[in-house]
Amino acid sequence: MNSPTAPQSHLMQTYARQPVAFSHGEGAWLWDTDGKKYLDALAGIAVSGLGHNHPRLVKAIAEQAARVIHTSNLFRIPEQEALADRLCELSGMQEVFFCNSGAEANEAAIKLARYIGIKNGNPAPEIIVMERAWHGRTIATLAATDSPKAKQGFGELPGGFVRVPYRDFAAIEAAAASHPHVNAVLLEVLQGEGGVNMAENEYLQRLRALCDAKGWLLMIDEVQSGIGRTGTWFGYQHSGVKPDVVTLAKGLGSGVPIGACLAAGPAAGVFTPGTHGTTFGGGPLVCAAAIATLQAMDEEGLLRNAAEMGAYIRAGMTRELAGVAGVREIRGQGLMIGIELLRPCGVLVARALEKGLIMNVTRDSVVRLLPPLVLKRPDADFLIATLAALIKEFLSEPVSA
Ligand SMILES: *Cc1c(COP(=O)(O)O)cnc(C)c1O
């Protein structure tokens, strides 16, 4: 194996990687190839909810691999059917399409909205999307995403999206008045890449009522906020709204690639054989991993743990950073936490690694924490102490030119 500092000459240089590689993990902790230990407060970007080396997950994957890994969607897949049953039970949705990533889950949602619009005689359906939204990097989901950096250099992207400010209900009403072909709204209830921004319950409830009045689909991207991360199975459950379409990926398979597009009401029963598909989607191996993930979360009380540990970390950071100049806001829900500083703080990622803490910075100035849902009290104490010290030190430094 190459050393982590060797030039990665045969890889497309699509990532600015830290010069660290991990050899194994246990719970919320990872060890690098030199034997150094780190608290994982990123969980592979909200993926490893069960932490690392979770016995039930490892067993489920090993046992499924020994039975059958892949057969294709040309046949029935019992594990896929069981997972769909469980997801519908937890979400209140009616049916599921399985794919392999968050972008593909949103791609399915976008296709579904367009298909329904056209079927209903709308010649050019449009989807309302939000400022600071993140929905993926395929051509269509990139068009729905609001990141100039991610879009830069790819030319004209597909149309069919109407962008409005996040959490601004009047802006949606105005868009409705000026765009008669809109038939859906796609949004995150808690934006992740966009800086950990939370929509209020009242906004979501009014949006639901507007969608009902207009006959629009309410499509919620839960790729990052779903699967227990915010303390409920899905982020929208805090507000009581019932979406028509929900997309999932990240935490669903605990690290095996699986995405899902869930539909209900007017969005259910629409796709028929031949309208959409993918070779790998919902195979036996990834579905067994997802079923084990949901079971473990249930039986180990991980939703409650996410809510409690999240509140504990936010309270701890608020206490440690009280009165520190340069901290704009500490926010989030469950174990999706943002600490916004008044200046860009990307250097903190490498400094935290140095101190044995894995975390992330998004939108230049927001420290983002996405620890595994198995996080324990002592882990949280280490996180709070290490991160607070780093932030205080950083903010005491003169602003570099
Ligand atoms: C990560 C993310 C995506 C894209 O998922 P990929 O698996 O990277 O394609 C879409 N939506 C949200 C909210 C995300 O956080």
Side-chain angles (χ1 to χ4, degrees):
M1 202 183 80
N2 292 327
S3 94
T5 49
Q8 303 139 19
S9 54
H10 292 102
L11 295 179
M12 283 198 194
Q13 300 295 304
T14 49
Y15 304 100
R17 298 175 197 267
Q18 299 294 330
V20 177
F22 301 103
S23 64
H24 65 286
E26 188 73 45
W29 295 84
L30 278 168
W31 281 259
D32 73 13
T33 44
D34 295 328
K36 182 176 163 185
K37 186 182 174 186
Y38 302 79
L39 178 70
D40 184 2
L42 183 60
I45 320 181
V47 168
S48 314
L50 300 185
H52 305 282
N53 195 24
H54 191 287
R56 167 180 233 139
L57 176 73
V58 171
K59 186 162 176 276
I61 292 173
E63 287 180 357
Q64 187 59 50
R67 282 194 295 269
V68 63
I69 293 175
H70 176 77
T71 55
S72 93
N73 286 299
L74 301 176
F75 305 96
R76 287 184 65 170
I77 302 174
E79 297 78 13
Q80 185 182 119
E81 293 174 21
L83 177 59
D85 288 349
R86 184 65 181 137
L87 285 174
C88 287
E89 197 179 355
L90 297 174
S91 64
M93 304 298 283
Q94 286 166 249
E95 55 179 34
V96 188
F97 172 80
F98 287 104
C99 50
N100 316 287
S101 67
E104 281 174 87
N106 286 322
E107 192 80 28
I110 292 164
K111 285 184 73 176
L112 187 56
R114 290 172 80 119
Y115 193 81
I116 290 170
I118 285 168
K119 202 170 137 203
N120 292 340
N122 177 346
E126 290 186 299
I127 301 172
I128 291 181
V129 290
M130 300 293 150
E131 288 182 2
R132 299 194 160 214
W134 187 272
H135 298 299
R137 289 183 186 267
T138 62
I139 290 288
T141 58
L142 190 57
T145 290
D146 183 27
S147 165
K149 211 153 84 180
K151 290 177 160 178
Q152 164 69 29
F154 292 103
E156 199 182 325
L157 295 169
F161 299 101
V162 179
R163 195 166 309 280
V164 299
Y166 191 51
R167 298 187 296 204
D168 181 345
F169 187 72
I172 298 186
E173 286 180 307
S178 57
H179 291 83
H181 293 307
V182 166
N183 78 325
V185 179
L186 171 64
L187 82 164
E188 300 148 90
V189 289
L190 179 49
Q191 291 183 331
E193 307 305 307
V196 191
N197 312 307
M198 232 160 81
E200 295 81 5
N201 290 342
E202 196 205 332
Y203 166 83
L204 295 172
Q205 289 153 5
R206 291 176 78 189
L207 183 54
R208 174 70 270 181
L210 183 69
C211 287
D212 287 339
K214 297 276 182 192
W216 296 350
L217 301 174
L218 178 57
M219 310 203 293
I220 301 190
D221 179 344
E222 293 269 359
V223 168
Q224 188 159 154
S225 55
I227 314 297
R229 177 128 310 262
T230 69
T232 52
W233 283 108
F234 307 99
Y236 66 81
Q237 289 171 331
H238 293 283
S239 67
V241 301
K242 207 180 163 304
D244 303 302
V245 175
V246 174
T247 55
L248 301 174
K250 292 194 168 96
L252 179 55
S254 292
V256 301
I258 179 169
C261 177
L262 285 61
V270 175
F271 277 161
T272 52
T275 43
H276 193 50
T278 174
T279 302
F280 290 124
L285 186 76
V286 295
C287 288
I291 291 168
T293 299
L294 299 177
Q295 276 175 353
M297 286 191 173
D298 213 6
E299 287 172 23
E300 295 170 26
L302 297 187
L303 271 56
R304 212 186 67 193
N305 190 59
E308 287 175 4
M309 285 296 108
Y312 184 74
I313 293 168
R314 286 194 304 280
M317 292 307 296
T318 302
R319 182 186 67 237
E320 294 297 320
L321 296 177
V324 175
V327 179
R328 177 138 187 258
E329 193 182 26
I330 298 167
R331 56 178 179 256
Q333 198 163 32
L335 286 174
M336 199 165 161
I337 298 171
I339 301 163
E340 182 167 3
L341 306 186
L342 290 172
R343 57 170 136 130
C345 58
V347 296
L348 283 175
V349 172
R351 291 188 190 180
L353 266 185
E354 187 63 37
K355 302 276 184 211
L357 174 65
I358 301 166
M359 58 78 167
N360 171 252
V361 168
T362 189
R363 286 271 159 174
D364 297 333
S365 58
V366 183
V367 172
R368 184 170 51 155
L369 304 175
L370 298 162
L373 311 192
V374 295
L375 196 79
K376 295 188 171 78
R377 184 70 67 99
D379 306 335
D381 288 332
F382 172 81
L383 166 57
I384 294 164
T386 308
L387 185 58
L390 280 168
I391 290 176
K392 278 192 258 192
E393 184 195 16
F394 172 72
L395 290 173
S396 72
E397 294 163 4
V399 185
S400 52

